[in-house]
Amino acid sequence: MKARIFEIKRFAVHDGDGIRTTVFFKGCPLRCVWCHNPEGISQKTQTAYYAHKCIGCGECKREDFLTSECLGDARVEYGRDVTIDELLPVLLEDKEFYANSGGGVTLSGGECLMQADFCAELLKALKSEGIHTAVDTCGFAPRAALDKVVPYTDVFLYDLKAYDEDVHIKCTGCSNKLILENLKYLDTIGKTVEIRIPFVPEYNDGEMEKTAHFLASLKNISKVRVLPYHNYAGSKYAALDMENTLPLTLPSKEELEAAKALIRSITNFCVSE
């Protein structure tokens, strides 16, 4: 069994508690206008060219050139197929750091549940090694995909872009009905969930109150994170020759604090960035 990934990030501290290793899977069903991992949208392997890194060595003009040989790292290949036997030893290298920090391994993307069979087997192998596991998901996945990973997942990092369906479609190109249903399902079966709300002015900034009232009805939310939108990924879009859809307006500190305070007042949950 193989899966297609585009990055393994060691010593990650924003993808769940503690020190973690995050595996980014290729492919995503949503098309978020603010996506900061455009290299994870397509399931296909892509070659990016970062012109500002080119040192003009000419090596890429060879017929047998491989992107891994680019001396200036100007050409980067996003997407490689791996087996569990190849991936697991890499993820276990930092086992001691996980144990000492309360960390573990996070599966992310793209949308990792598009490759649910592989994820389930990988998570099962990690649990057999005593590793804490997290699944970072947009929730737009068949119930069957969720059920495959539920037994081996300690916490779900669940992205919630908007509560209003029309707003969600504007932001992502997809309805959020399945996403909300899956979130309620995870709550019903008692799975621990950390909610992640990207805060994007002029897109979903008006959704905080409705989202908070929905979250207040759930029982197994461990925390809520309101993530400030940033536009650092512009160079990735250019390198991949993709249309740059990143919004221009960034959130202010005051807007973020107000959003967090509003959600906190309605839900009584721990709310942070």
Side-chain angles (χ1 to χ4, degrees):
M1 183 186 299
K2 290 186 177 182
R4 182 160 293 170
I5 65 172
F6 65 90
E7 185 179 2
I8 299 173
K9 184 179 180 182
R10 297 174 64 182
F11 296 98
V13 294
H14 299 294
D15 299 323
D17 292 337
I19 295 173
R20 312 188 73 83
T21 298
T22 303
V23 183
F24 293 88
F25 287 75
K26 207 78 163 72
C28 184
L30 304 187
R31 296 296 180 269
C32 301
V33 295
W34 56 75
C35 180
H36 61 277
N37 283 334
E39 72 275 31
I41 296 175
S42 172
Q43 289 183 287
K44 297 179 180 179
T45 297
Q46 296 167 283
T47 299
Y49 172 59
Y50 294 90
H52 66 284
K53 291 185 177 182
C54 181
I55 62 174
C57 67
E59 286 294 301
C60 59
K61 296 180 180 180
R62 298 191 342 252
E63 290 186 6
D64 60 345
F65 171 76
L66 300 174
T67 55
S68 60
E69 298 173 339
C70 180
L71 300 179
D73 292 327
R75 292 191 181 274
V76 179
E77 189 169 274
Y78 290 113
R80 61 186 177 96
D81 295 336
V82 295
T83 66
I84 290 175
D85 287 342
E86 292 170 336
L87 192 54
L88 188 59
V90 177
L91 303 182
L92 294 179
E93 286 180 10
D94 296 322
K95 188 174 182 179
E96 185 174 346
F97 290 101
Y98 308 153
N100 292 334
S101 68
V105 173
T106 299
L107 308 189
S108 186
E111 174 50 61
C112 61
L113 293 183
M114 291 182 70
Q115 303 180 68
D117 288 329
F118 184 95
C119 288
E121 291 301 314
L122 178 58
L123 291 166
K124 183 179 179 180
L126 289 166
K127 293 309 298 176
S128 70
E129 294 284 346
I131 305 298
H132 182 277
T133 58
V135 168
D136 187 349
T137 178
C138 71
F140 195 85
R143 179 69 55 81
L146 270 181
D147 284 336
K148 287 174 182 177
V149 301
V150 158
Y152 316 111
T153 303
D154 291 308
V155 60
F156 284 87
L157 311 179
Y158 207 96
D159 298 338
L160 202 54
K161 327 287 188 184
Y163 181 75
D164 182 90
E165 184 178 18
D166 290 337
V167 174
H168 197 275
I169 291 172
K170 174 188 174 183
C171 293
T172 72
C174 294
S175 166
N176 63 351
K177 288 183 178 179
L178 178 60
I179 293 169
L180 297 179
E181 289 172 1
N182 281 337
L183 179 53
K184 288 187 285 188
Y185 171 67
L186 289 175
D187 187 67
T188 299
I189 63 175
K191 297 302 295 185
T192 300
V193 178
E194 175 185 310
I195 298 296
R196 299 181 154 210
I197 304 172
F199 186 88
V200 189
E202 301 174 8
Y203 281 89
N204 71 345
D205 51 333
E207 288 289 291
M208 298 302 116
E209 184 172 358
K210 287 181 285 187
T211 300
H213 280 294
F214 168 68
L215 293 176
S217 68
L218 305 179
K219 300 177 180 178
N220 292 291
I221 304 300
S222 62
K223 68 179 76 171
V224 177
R225 293 187 63 194
V226 180
L227 307 176
Y229 159 69
H230 64 74
N231 57 4
Y232 303 151
S235 62
K236 291 184 181 180
Y237 284 89
L240 290 162
D241 196 24
M242 294 173 61
E243 178 188 1
N244 187 340
T245 60
L246 295 173
L248 297 176
T249 305
L250 301 178
S252 68
K253 185 69 175 178
E254 292 74 20
E255 288 174 321
L256 284 169
E257 291 302 323
K260 290 189 292 182
L262 176 62
I263 295 172
R264 193 179 295 117
S265 68
I266 294 172
T267 64
N268 289 320
F269 294 148
C270 174
V271 182
S272 63
E273 287 185 20

